[in-house]
Amino acid sequence: MTVGAHHHHTLAPSGQGTVVLNIGRNIGAMVIHTPGSLHGHEIEVSPVDDPAKRTHAAVRARYVRGGVLWSVVIDSLPAGRYAIWRDPVSVLAEVDVSGGAVTEYEWPIPVTV
């Protein structure tokens, strides 16, 4: 997880139906579902072939029917393959973003022994 000192994102929870996404012909979006323990952390993504071109968003509470989910929502992504960064130097996963669609990814929950 990339933890940033950026404070320009609101960490206030979003209500039902309050997220508007910019997606279209060649532009998609990504939703990364996370454990609640990551609330407030910023998650970075980048095109796989251009890791320096990163964008990020903060993990926020999302109130949905039946409870609360924590997630990152990143829209306006040109279609392609993206890296999800665990921290500034480690890629957690790679996912495909398609134009006009929303790609979902589930952040792994650490196993405790």
Side-chain angles (χ1 to χ4, degrees):
M1 97 199 90
T2 298
V3 179
H6 303 266
H7 297 290
H8 59 277
H9 296 291
T10 179
L11 297 179
S14 63
Q16 291 182 17
T18 61
V19 176
V20 177
L21 300 175
N22 178 28
I23 61 175
R25 183 179 192 152
N26 295 313
I27 302 294
M30 186 184 313
V31 175
I32 303 168
H33 302 284
T34 71
S37 61
L38 294 182
H39 182 256
H41 293 171
E42 293 194 354
I43 307 296
E44 292 184 320
V45 302
S46 69
V48 167
D49 60 356
D50 192 359
K53 188 177 181 182
R54 296 186 188 187
T55 189
H56 64 272
V59 175
R60 294 179 52 198
R62 312 284 176 179
Y63 289 89
V64 296
R65 186 179 324 166
V68 178
L69 300 174
W70 288 268
S71 63
V72 169
V73 177
I74 302 173
D75 68 340
S76 302
L77 295 173
R81 189 145 182 88
Y82 283 81
I84 300 172
W85 293 86
R86 177 186 306 275
D87 56 48
V89 296
S90 306
V91 173
L92 173 67
E94 292 183 6
V95 297
D96 291 313
V97 172
S98 299
V102 178
T103 297
E104 294 187 71
Y105 177 79
E106 191 79 32
W107 190 279
I109 297 173
V111 177
T112 56
V113 183

